[in-house]
Structure formats: C-alpha cells, structure tokens
Amino acid sequence: IGGQADVVLFTNSNQINHVLQLAQEEGVEKEFREALSRTVVASVGPFCTHFLDEYGVPVDLEPEHPKMGDLVAEASTKGAGILEKKRRIAESPKPILEVSPNPRPSDPPLQNALLDSPFMRACRREPTPFTPIWLMRQAGRYMKEYRDIRERHSFLDLCKDSDLACEVSVYAVERLGVDAAIIFSDILLILEPMGLQLEYAKGEGPLIHNPVRTLEDVRRIRAMEDPQALGFVYEAIQKTRKALAPGIPLIGFSGAPFTLASYMIEGQGSRNFIQTKSFMHQNPNAWKALMDKICKGLVLYLNAQIAAGAQVVQLFDSWVGCLSPEDYRQFVMPYSRRVIQNITHGIPVIHFGTQTGTFLELIRDAGGDVIGLDWRVELDQAWHRLGPVAIQGNLDPAVLFADPSEIRSQAKRILDQAAGQPGHIFNLGHGVLPNTPVGHVKALVDAVHEMSQR
C-alpha cells in the first residue's frame, strides 16, 4: 500500500487468504487491492494461480515450471516491463480488481458457520448441543449408489475423477445426516508421485510392484516437492467444499508416516510386518532417510488439502498397532510429530491408529488435537489416560450388523462413557464394513443425535 514493493510473490494458496483477512481486519482491503493493481503479482504455479483468481487477484506472471527458483528468476527478468504497463493502466479511474462473488471458506458467513459447527467445536473441546458424528468410510461399498459407480469405474479412476469423488463424498453426508464430510480418496495416493508403482488389484487390495527393501531402493524414492502432482485431490476438495452445506466441515486426510512406510516395504497387506520390522531394526539409517522423504511429502500434501478447502485433516496410522511401545517411541513418534507440527496453524488434526491401547500416551505426545480410538479400548478409561484432548470413537464396526435396538444400546454405552464431556466426536473404531445395512448406519447416526441432546 505504501508503494515500497514492486513485486509480490505468492508461493502457496494460503497466503492470499491470510493477507486479505489481515487487510479486512485492518480496514484496508480496498487500498490493498488497489495497490496490487500497481504491483507485479507473481504465482508459483497453477494451483496457487487458481486461488488468486478465486479471490479476484489477477496474476501477471507464472513460471513454466512451478519451482521457487524459476518464479524468482522470471519475476526479476520480466517484472520491470510488466510493472511499467500496469502502472500506466492503473492511472485509469476504472477499478482494476473486483471482489470474487464466489464464497470461499474464509468468507465470514461460511467461515462462521463452519467454526461454530458441532464438529469443529468438539475438535476444540468446546460444548456442543449434541455429540457430533461422522464415520470412517462413510462413502463406500456398503452403499448401492457407490457400488453402481464402481461397476463403471476402477477405484483409482474414481479417486482421480474430482467430479465423482465429490459426488460420493457429498452423497454420503446427505444420505446419513452426519456432521462432517471426508473427501473420497485413499491413503496411498501420495506413493505414486514418490515413484512407487501402485495397483489396486481386484480381491487383493493395494499392491506395490517395486517395494522398498534396501538403502538403494530408498535413494530412488522421490521426495514429493510439488504437491500439484496430486492436483485431482485438491480439485475434489474444492468441488466438495462448494457442494456441502455451509455448516458441514470437510476432512482431508493421509496415511501416517509409519503406515505409508510399511506399505512401501511390505508391498501389500501384512499380518506380521516382518519386512518392515527387519528393515527398521537392521537399516536404521535407511529407515530414517525413508521417513524423512515421507514426512516432507505429507506436509506439502496435507497443507495443500487445507488450502483447497479442508477444515480438518486426519492421519490414519492403520498399521502402527503392530509395534511395541519402545519401537513406536524410537522409530515412529518423531516423524508423526514432525508432520503434525508442520500442519497449517489453527487447523485441527485428528490422529488415529488401531490397536494402540498399549501406547496411547505416546500417540498423544506425537501430537493431534483429537485422538482417534479403535474399539479395543474403553473410551472413558482411554480418555482418563490421555487427559485434556478431544476424543474420536469408538464403536466396533461389526455392531452395525446387529439389530437397530442393539446398535442403539451400544451407542448409549459409549455416550455414557463420554459423560457429555466437551470434546467427544462419535465414530466407529475403524471404517464401515462392506455389506453393512445402510439403514443400520443411518439408525446409528440418528440415535447418537437423539440420545446426546444437551
């Protein structure tokens, strides 16, 4: 605004959100936007450019390759000519910049509705009018509509088609009446841009055709430096955010470092994780190098999901329960903590693992605003051990095959254990199982809402 800057470099999509929020708070948004019309606006890449455009900020320069060095180089060589032209145009009295008419998550009405939603309040351990509920795999094979789509599309195609991913994510929320959406995706998608050959084989689950078994294998793994390699995920998040009701938060997610490393090493599902544990103990330097690469990619990936419109992110450590507490402390905890500490400030993180009852306190110490529990621990006892954090869980998914009256009884047992304390998010102890009756899932949601009314 003071005219001291000739070039503004935007290197991620969060920045325009933050700077406009600050300008609004200081009462100088109009002056700031007018100042940008006299300044070279440079964007690091197409994803960042898209967000600047959404906020009504035209981009003057975007390098051919989305890299910081190219951004600085092109701004320095082309900036003077662009600046001269823009300042000539700025002398015209007509406005150069217009406020985008499309509501973004940062716009006050939508932002307030999201922040005040029962789910977000529970993440912050604030009182809620009822216990919010959402379900892992709430969009999945148990729904006929999902199976119909899968008959026409492979799982990977569904994940990579942003329109279809949006459709199944939103449909599950509307069908079940849950209090949060989770983007339809998969924890392993980040492995492809890291150089892993991923296949979802029919009847076998995910397969890695070039698993990591040696230090040389680790060296060939690419640390994901450009989050736009997973641009289809962010597009799905943008579309889903726009399609959801204003008060329904959207959850982004990824696999946690250990679970991703285990898939990379085992190459497929495992019962005993012999390859992973052998690699971890026999090649500690290679293990560290692998986890460093995973953490770097995860931070970029999760923060890009947040920039695209996710209000919360969840780390799925689905396989970490195979470890001893000491192995978790030494080989896993530092890396999970690194990822969580580098998530965009102010965004709640749900940290979920299975079979973690022997080291819940270590899971808590690794980080997370909400700790997810599976059904192998009692919720009240686990919460007592964990102390002042929010809790998510923890009905056994198999209970949903029982009669609705029994589902209601089991839900009440868990609600009674929570005792109405602020910070409880009702969920299953893992994802909805295939062949679960949809009516039973809906009955659970309705029962939780009804029985937890404050």
Side-chain angles (χ1 to χ4, degrees), residues 135-137 318 352 354 373-375 395 397 427-432:
L135 306 170
M136 290 177 277
R137 290 202 204 112
S318 307
F352 170 75
T354 59
L373 305 176
D374 71 7
W375 66 93
L395 184 68
N427 207 314
L428 303 177
H430 209 284
V432 180

Side-chain angles (χ1 to χ4, degrees), residues 82-316:
I82 296 172
L83 187 64
E84 181 182 358
K85 181 180 178 181
K86 287 196 74 172
R87 288 185 173 169
R88 284 201 311 267
I89 295 173
E91 294 174 1
S92 169
K94 64 182 181 179
I96 302 301
L97 298 172
E98 300 291 342
V99 177
S100 171
N102 298 321
R104 301 292 309 160
S106 60
D107 292 335
L110 178 55
Q111 185 73 358
N112 290 341
L114 288 169
L115 288 175
D116 289 338
S117 67
F119 176 83
M120 295 297 288
R121 291 180 67 86
C123 288
R124 302 190 299 267
R125 294 193 296 123
E126 297 174 359
T128 56
F130 55 85
T131 299
I133 176 173
W134 74 279
L135 306 170
M136 290 177 277
R137 290 202 204 112
Q138 61 191 19
R141 288 172 288 176
Y142 73 103
M143 286 186 167
K144 180 183 182 302
E145 294 78 6
Y146 174 86
R147 294 195 301 272
D148 289 344
I149 292 175
R150 279 298 312 277
E151 287 180 0
R152 304 188 301 272
H153 303 276
S154 71
F155 179 73
L156 267 180
D157 287 343
L158 178 52
C159 288
K160 294 181 178 182
D161 187 315
S162 59
D163 290 322
L164 289 177
C166 171
E167 179 182 342
V168 297
S169 300
V170 174
Y171 176 80
V173 172
E174 295 177 346
R175 176 71 176 84
L176 301 175
V178 290
D179 301 298
I182 185 166
I183 192 63
F184 185 86
S185 187
D186 189 75
I187 64 171
L188 300 185
L189 296 182
I190 192 175
L191 299 188
E192 285 193 317
M194 296 181 73
L196 279 298
Q197 297 168 14
L198 176 63
E199 178 190 2
Y200 289 84
K202 188 173 182 179
E204 297 185 47
L207 297 175
I208 306 293
H209 293 292
N210 55 337
V212 175
R213 299 288 167 79
T214 66
L215 179 58
E216 287 303 313
D217 292 336
V218 173
R219 287 173 177 156
R220 68 173 165 80
I221 296 298
R222 300 189 295 268
M224 189 178 74
E225 297 184 352
D226 178 13
Q228 194 56 35
L230 294 164
F232 54 87
V233 176
Y234 319 134
E235 289 175 9
I237 289 173
Q238 291 168 0
K239 293 174 180 178
T240 303
R241 178 64 271 158
K242 290 179 179 179
L244 288 169
I248 300 295
L250 177 60
I251 303 168
F253 69 90
S254 72
F258 175 79
T259 291
L260 292 178
S262 297
Y263 267 110
M264 296 167 81
I265 295 168
E266 299 289 339
Q268 59 185 347
S270 175
R271 182 181 297 273
N272 297 311
F273 298 92
I274 294 173
Q275 297 281 0
T276 302
K277 293 181 181 182
S278 297
F279 187 92
M280 194 169 64
H281 286 283
Q282 295 178 11
N283 301 286
N285 291 334
W287 175 262
K288 180 181 183 302
L290 179 62
M291 294 292 269
D292 285 343
K293 290 184 176 183
I294 291 172
C295 288
K296 182 177 181 180
L298 280 179
V299 170
L300 289 173
Y301 182 39
L302 288 169
N303 284 336
Q305 291 185 45
I306 293 165
Q311 282 70 56
V312 177
V313 291
Q314 174 160 317
L315 276 179
F316 283 86

